[in-house]
Amino acid sequence: QVQLVESGGGSVQTGGSLKLSCVVSTFNSKKYCLAWFRQAPGKERQAVASIDVDGGTTYRDSVKGRFTIMKDNAKSTLYLQMDALKPEDTGTYYCAADDGGIGYCFGALDLWEDSDFAHWGQGTQVTVSS
């Protein structure tokens, strides 16, 4: 049973920074496409960044240049460094993992749906005030 546990959310003002973490219980025993999703109030959950087994990354256009996804294999942890935060970044952030692609992420990130990922964390809240 894969477990994903997020932490690091909080409240910041516009322009601030936060770093989210997600510990993945089976990080080194399987190859995953790893991603961060967010769900704004009243909106559908959408992917914002992904990283594959080789470290290849993709980002939603709205976060490019501001967010950085990274992983630390030794710590079994996925991260999302968020800088220059805006009020529209507010939402619940979820980490997700899928091993169906043997570590590679397929398709356009903008079109990913919840069903594309088999494993989810519980979410961590990020609030950006103006």
Side-chain angles (χ1 to χ4, degrees):
Q1 182 78 14
V2 180
Q3 290 186 324
L4 292 82
V5 181
E6 300 106 333
S7 61
S11 297
V12 296
Q13 292 188 325
T14 297
S17 297
L18 284 172
K19 187 175 184 178
L20 307 183
S21 300
C22 174
V23 177
V24 183
S25 62
T26 55
F27 194 99
N28 292 306
S29 61
K30 287 192 173 183
K31 297 179 179 180
Y32 292 108
C33 166
L34 298 170
W36 287 96
F37 284 69
R38 71 181 175 198
Q39 186 167 23
K43 295 188 178 180
E44 292 186 351
R45 189 156 54 183
Q46 57 180 211
V48 296
S50 72
I51 187 166
D52 66 26
V53 65
D54 292 334
T57 59
T58 58
Y59 296 91
R60 179 171 291 273
D61 284 348
S62 60
V63 307
K64 282 181 181 176
R66 301 189 298 120
F67 288 14
T68 304
I69 188 171
M70 64 196 86
K71 58 181 178 174
D72 185 331
N73 294 347
K75 295 183 178 180
S76 301
T77 302
L78 173 71
Y79 300 99
L80 185 67
Q81 176 67 46
M82 304 186 293
D83 298 317
L85 282 162
K86 304 175 181 180
E88 51 263 43
D89 295 319
T90 293
T92 303
Y93 283 70
Y94 300 86
C95 62
D98 195 81
D99 59 352
I102 316 178
Y104 295 96
C105 309
F106 294 99
L109 180 146
D110 290 359
L111 300 179
W112 288 350
E113 298 179 344
D114 286 5
S115 58
D116 292 322
F117 285 78
H119 311 291
W120 292 85
Q122 81 287 355
T124 186
Q125 179 66 34
V126 171
T127 303
V128 185
S129 58
S130 57

